[in-house]
Amino acid sequence: MSVNLSKGQRISLDKADGGALDAVRMGLGWRAAPRKGFLAKLAGTREIDLDASALLFAGGQLADVVFFRHLASDDGSVRHLGDNLVGGAGAGSDDEVVLVDLARVPGHVDQIVFTVNSFTGQTFGEVQDAFCRLVDERTGTELARYTLSGGGAYTAQIMAKLHRTGTGTGWQLQALGAPASGRTFQDLLPAIAAHL
């Protein structure tokens, strides 16, 4: 059963039988908000290029990044399935996907932060039905969903993070939902630091 996360909420990725998930998928979906006004029907829908990124941190330091120009982490544990330039899934399926093989994430990596930014520079006020969701990659079961709501004048969001539990063997997901500004993950690094 999927959990609708609120900002700051955490869920454990341990299974009911005491085991831990070994592979998850972070999906991102969105649609362009309909234009308003007299010429809206003539102009049609605006294409918006949102980009999902996964930033791997070790002890607060950036160790690797996976995004549309670097589709796999150096160790192969995190993979981006490709860039979607226009969105369109909205409340449906995923427009961009990042796969995380938790069993293969190097031991020194203690956090994986997921971000989304508007590469084309539109604000989230021009986006609707945006979400991120975590799915058990083995079963296809949606574990958690976080709605990227609120619109606003910002062009990016620090969506969520996976972080190791105190034992170092399990993982938790935390919804962050922190608005930020920037066209690329590099622009977001100062804002991400507050969430590590």
Side-chain angles (χ1 to χ4, degrees), residues 64-74 80:
D64 203 350
V65 64
V66 174
F67 69 116
F68 68 92
R69 289 193 178 137
H70 186 244
L71 293 176
S73 59
D74 293 339
H80 193 301

Side-chain angles (χ1 to χ4, degrees), residues 3 13 17 37 68 73 91 100 109 134 144 147 162 176 179:
V3 175
L13 299 187
D17 64 7
F68 68 92
S73 59
V100 182
V109 172
L134 191 73
T147 302
L162 290 171
L176 297 172

Side-chain angles (χ1 to χ4, degrees), residues 136 141 186:
D136 180 338
T141 303
Q186 293 99 328

Side-chain angles (χ1 to χ4, degrees), residues 112-131:
I112 302 172
V113 178
F114 297 95
T115 64
V116 58
N117 53 274
S118 174
F119 189 74
T120 45
Q122 290 99 337
T123 68
F124 273 74
E126 298 173 74
V127 177
Q128 74 178 22
D129 299 328
F131 67 88

Side-chain angles (χ1 to χ4, degrees), residues 5 9-11 17 30 32 47 55 60 62 78 87 91 103 105 115-116 121 137 140 161 164 192:
L5 294 176
Q9 186 176 359
R10 299 171 192 243
I11 62 165
D17 64 7
W30 74 92
E47 293 181 350
L55 292 82
L62 184 63
V78 181
V105 174
T115 64
V116 58
E137 185 60 15
K161 73 176 180 177
R164 291 189 190 271
I192 291 170

Side-chain angles (χ1 to χ4, degrees), residues 1 10 22 57 61 72 88 97 115 121 127-128 153 159 167 190:
M1 182 173 148
R10 299 171 192 243
D22 58 358
F57 287 90
Q61 299 298 315
V97 172
T115 64
V127 177
Q128 74 178 22
M159 295 187 297
T167 63

Side-chain angles (χ1 to χ4, degrees), residues 5-36:
L5 294 176
S6 56
K7 186 174 181 175
Q9 186 176 359
R10 299 171 192 243
I11 62 165
S12 171
L13 299 187
D14 292 332
K15 294 181 181 178
D17 64 7
L21 293 172
D22 58 358
V24 294
R25 173 179 3 131
M26 179 64 75
L28 168 67
W30 74 92
R31 288 189 296 159
R35 293 181 180 188
K36 296 178 182 173

